[in-house]
Amino acid sequence: MFESIQIQVNGQPRACRAGATVGELLRELDITSERVAVELNLEILDRKEFDHRGIRDGDRLEILSFIGGGSQSMEVARNCLRVVRSGTWTRMIG
Amino acid sequence: MDTNDRLTIAGREFKSRLWVGTGKYKDFIETKKAIEASGADVVTVAVRRVNITDRSKENLLDYLDPKKYVILPNTAGCYTVEDAVRYARLARAAGVSDLVKLEVLGDDKTLFPDTAGLIEAAKILIKEGFIVLPYTNDDPVVAKKLVDIGCPAVMPLAAPIGSGLGIRNPYNLKIIMEQVKVPIIVDAGVGTASDAALAMEYGADAVLMNTAIAGAQDPIAMAEAMKYAVHAGRLAYKAGRIPRKLYATASSPIEGML
């Protein structure tokens, strides 16, 4: 058994091996894409730091990547699409 | 297409004058097909949390060849200067380029930009070396301010994002095009091909859209329609339209008539 610490990843609590690096955590999470950004306690990390930066108890990590988007938030987008595809939109305007 | 008629922004040359968003498609296959049909070489993407609980989900960028497309990250969904700056920095860290389509929204019903916040955020990011393409209102004064602080292009809206209302204020857009000496990309609000053609006829340098294509009954066909509309509008603009007159001018000569 390894010593375990508590961290938060993308808002979710998670146990992590003490002494693990950001790079190790990413591999553990099966995040292999190069196009991710990692924010550690609000500090954006350079990709080169991933394998050197150790994670400490209570750390808060955000792991982000690119998704489909034009403008606006995804919630609004999804609602909008529902309206567009259901045809109510045309009726609203027409 | 005329290969000499290229759009250049901050020293980068773009092949297409139609830029497209990648949101709201049924799946990545449809996204890819629609983008291909549109002929766009600039695609916008949003920055969001990676799904860490379900890694089986595919990534959009697996479907978009970065050699073929300029990936333009946006700060969509950001309502404060701090958030917009944070997302722009994250986008750069995720490693595409210094380009960012900057959005600072001011109202969640209209998604109109908060132009004061936009200028503030643009200043911060430009200082950090970003190439800031600001999504702004159809306000000529704000457009000029954005250029003055160093934006190499401005992106005024035609109508609210996703509204499909077309160009609501052609006169303001015209004024922006006349007064602002950087490329103008009409962004948001286009509903159908004629809206895009009109934007280009007015003198826009490019048009950016998402919902008009992704929300169409047949997104791939609409993407193709938009490609031709933008091209036709550009050609018409360069050709120079005839002035509007109240009365007729005969096209056939009177001479030789019986």
Side-chain angles (χ1 to χ4, degrees):
Chain A
M1 270 307 282
F2 55 78
E3 194 193 336
S4 159
I5 54 172
Q6 275 300 315
I7 58 170
Q8 252 197 36
V9 182
N10 288 2
Q12 303 289 321
R14 190 182 174 86
C16 171
R17 182 175 59 79
T21 64
V22 170
E24 283 164 353
L25 176 72
L26 289 176
R27 284 186 286 275
E28 188 188 311
L29 290 168
D30 197 22
I31 297 168
T32 50
S33 166
E34 289 205 335
R35 293 196 200 86
V36 292
V38 177
E39 208 185 55
L40 177 61
N41 302 325
L42 299 177
E43 178 203 348
I44 297 171
L45 300 183
D46 191 293
R47 200 170 299 123
K48 283 180 251 137
E49 289 180 66
F50 288 177
D51 282 327
H52 309 291
R53 189 61 85 92
I55 301 170
R56 283 181 233 150
D57 193 44
D59 275 352
R60 291 173 57 191
L61 287 108
E62 293 289 351
I63 305 167
L64 299 99
S65 188
F66 298 113
I67 64 149
S71 299
Q72 85 212 75
S73 69
M74 288 306 104
E75 293 71 29
V76 180
R78 268 189 226 105
N79 289 336
C80 182
L81 180 59
R82 264 201 292 278
V83 175
V84 168
R85 291 228 165 124
S86 66
T88 42
W89 184 234
T90 342
R91 285 202 292 278
M92 267 160 64
I93 298 293
Chain B
M1 308 253 165
D2 180 1
T3 47
N4 295 319
D5 185 30
R6 289 280 172 89
L7 168 62
T8 309
I9 297 170
R12 282 157 197 259
E13 211 176 71
F14 301 95
K15 285 198 280 286
S16 164
R17 290 177 182 274
L18 171 59
W19 295 10
V20 295
T22 53
K24 307 186 209 173
Y25 286 98
K26 190 176 72 195
D27 51 37
F28 291 145
I29 310 263
E30 190 185 70
T31 314
K32 187 182 155 86
K33 281 187 178 163
I35 294 170
E36 273 168 7
S38 78
D41 65 342
V42 180
V43 295
T44 64
V45 294
V47 180
R48 292 292 181 269
R49 279 174 166 166
V50 169
N51 185 340
I52 53 167
T53 46
D54 181 7
R55 296 299 305 145
S56 64
K57 291 218 170 96
E58 290 173 295
N59 189 308
L60 167 71
L61 292 193
D62 297 337
Y63 285 80
L64 300 173
D65 181 359
K67 281 189 224 78
K68 220 163 129 194
Y69 299 106
V70 176
I71 308 290
L72 176 60
N74 62 32
T75 61
C78 293
Y79 283 83
T80 64
V81 173
E82 294 71 29
D83 267 357
V85 168
R86 184 183 184 195
Y87 274 78
R89 287 172 180 157
L90 285 163
R92 180 155 76 175
V96 185
S97 70
D98 294 329
L99 277 172
V100 65
K101 179 191 152 185
L102 183 61
E103 294 182 31
V104 183
L105 302 175
D107 169 51
D108 66 355
K109 271 216 153 53
T110 58
L111 298 174
F112 281 143
D114 167 359
T115 52
L118 179 69
I119 291 170
E120 206 184 320
K123 275 186 188 163
I124 297 168
L125 293 170
I126 289 166
K127 225 179 187 174
E128 295 179 11
F130 282 88
I131 299 163
V132 175
L133 309 180
Y135 162 67
T136 182
N137 231 319
D138 52 10
D139 180 337
V141 177
V142 173
K144 271 170 128 178
K145 284 186 181 176
L146 288 163
V147 174
D148 288 345
I149 62 168
C151 294
V154 285
M155 309 182 77
L157 54 82
I161 293 167
S163 71
L165 289 174
I167 299 170
R168 293 293 80 208
N169 199 339
Y171 305 107
N172 270 31
L173 282 184
K174 259 296 221 220
I175 293 170
I176 294 175
M177 286 159 198
E178 276 195 26
Q179 296 199 341
V180 169
K181 299 296 169 214
V182 297
I184 308 294
I185 299 141
V186 170
D187 179 10
V190 166
T192 187
S194 52
D195 296 334
L198 211 51
M200 296 305 292
E201 285 176 20
Y202 286 142
D205 294 279
V207 181
L208 170 54
M209 64 182 77
N210 190 159
T211 313
I213 296 174
Q217 297 296 318
D218 182 343
I220 295 149
M222 186 58 92
E224 194 180 5
M226 291 299 184
K227 173 171 82 179
Y228 293 126
V230 167
H231 187 52
R234 176 67 183 171
L235 287 178
Y237 168 73
K238 290 184 76 183
R241 60 154 299 151
I242 58 161
R244 288 183 174 85
K245 288 177 296 183
L246 202 51
Y247 295 99
T249 315
S251 302
S252 311
I254 303 292
E255 209 183 291
M257 283 190 78
L258 297 175

